[in-house]
């Protein structure tokens, strides 16, 4: 008995017709990508846009992370001076990032269950609030709150970066993100010292990280096409 050809398979082989598994409106293009229907398939224009968006988000996150965390040590001296407190009493502030890593590490799986974008949004907002408090607070309680918020937010950015970077280019993306973090980390203490030498409080240099973090939060909140391996919240 002669076997009847599968219309779906014939459509895919010919480069025309409906691509299987993509809904009735999705069409397989001649270049091997699929478009139309209810979803954007990675590899097409939507997938490329999403990959660029992820690279942008990871770059902003790591740059802000490197700048703020590496600036904590320089801020301790200025905080002790501004608050009239012995530096030893503020030494614990430098461990706020480590505390954040412990908390976020313990809660990592539930935090990432809805996808990386809600965690990215929350981490960026926490880090921005913490940096603003550390830069402007004139009393010990808000300084302590700022350090803890910054530590939690920075640790959240560390947690969410591998969740965003997936696929064959993940290793290269992570290397570029680490490079951005390293460069911005080198800029933090000199910026604080230069600003303080100019007569303003050097702690105000931490405010340089706030706009990128707020942009990152807004970018994480905006919904876009979902690329392969990236689950959107």
């Amino acid at each position: 008995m002669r076997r009847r050809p599968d219309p779906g398979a014939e459509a895919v082989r010919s480069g025309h017709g409906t691509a299987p598994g993509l809904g009735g409106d999705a069409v397989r293009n001649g270049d091997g990508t699929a478009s139309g229907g209810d979803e954007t398939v990675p590899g097409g224009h939507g997938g490329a846009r999403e990959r660029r968006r992820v690279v942008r988000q990871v770059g902003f996150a790591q740059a802000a992370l490197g700048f703020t965390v590496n600036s904590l040590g320089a801020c301790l001296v200025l905080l002790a001076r501004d608050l009239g407190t012995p530096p030893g009493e503020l030494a614990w502030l430098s461990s706020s990032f480590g505390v954040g890593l412990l908390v976020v590490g313990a809660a990592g799986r539930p935090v990432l269950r809805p996808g990386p974008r809600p965690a990215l949004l929350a981490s960026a907002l926490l880090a921005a609030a913490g940096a603003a408090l550390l830069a402007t607070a004139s009393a010990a309680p808000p300084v302590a709150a700022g350090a803890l918020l910054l530590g939690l937010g920075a640790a959240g950015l560390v947690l969410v970066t591998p969740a965003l970077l997936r696929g064959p280019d993940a290793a290269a993306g992570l290397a570029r993100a680490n490079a951005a973090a390293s460069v911005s980390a080198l800029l933090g203490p000199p910026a604080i010292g230069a600003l303080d030498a100019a007569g303003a409080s050097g702690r105000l240099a931490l405010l340089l990280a706030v706009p990128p973090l707020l942009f990152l939060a807004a970018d994480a909140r905006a919904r876009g096409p979902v690329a392969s391996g990236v689950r959107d919240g």
Side-chain angles (χ1 to χ4, degrees):
M1 183 175 180
R2 187 175 179 181
R3 186 177 179 182
R4 297 179 61 187
D6 184 354
E10 289 295 325
V12 173
R13 282 194 293 268
S14 63
H16 302 287
T18 302
L22 295 174
D25 295 326
V27 176
R28 177 69 64 177
N29 302 318
D31 61 355
T33 62
S35 59
D38 297 329
E39 59 181 313
T40 302
V41 178
H45 296 300
R49 284 196 302 270
E50 178 62 15
R51 284 193 294 274
R52 287 194 297 269
R53 183 186 182 198
V54 167
V55 169
R56 180 176 68 243
Q57 290 173 340
V58 169
F60 271 93
Q62 292 300 307
L65 173 66
F67 185 88
T68 53
V69 171
N70 205 46
S71 297
L72 283 176
C75 281
L76 284 179
V77 178
L78 302 182
L79 280 168
R81 180 198 66 189
D82 294 344
L83 300 179
T85 304
E89 294 184 10
L90 299 176
W92 70 271
L93 295 178
S94 61
S95 64
S96 60
F97 179 53
V99 173
L101 287 175
L102 290 175
V103 173
V104 169
R109 190 177 296 273
V111 166
L112 290 177
R113 188 171 293 127
R117 300 218 185 280
L120 180 62
L121 171 62
S123 299
L125 291 176
L126 286 174
L133 281 174
L134 279 175
T136 60
S138 57
V143 164
L148 291 174
L149 289 174
L150 179 58
L152 284 173
L157 295 177
V158 171
L159 172 73
V160 79
T161 296
L164 285 170
L165 291 173
R166 300 290 182 88
D169 297 331
L174 188 58
R176 288 191 292 268
N178 289 334
S182 299
V183 170
S184 62
L186 292 175
L187 297 176
I192 290 174
L195 192 61
D196 201 68
S201 174
R203 291 189 290 138
L204 293 176
L206 287 176
L207 294 177
L208 293 173
V210 174
L213 286 167
L214 294 179
F215 172 81
L216 179 61
D219 197 35
R221 189 172 183 272
R223 298 184 65 87
V226 182
S228 178
V230 180
R231 183 183 174 189
D232 195 269

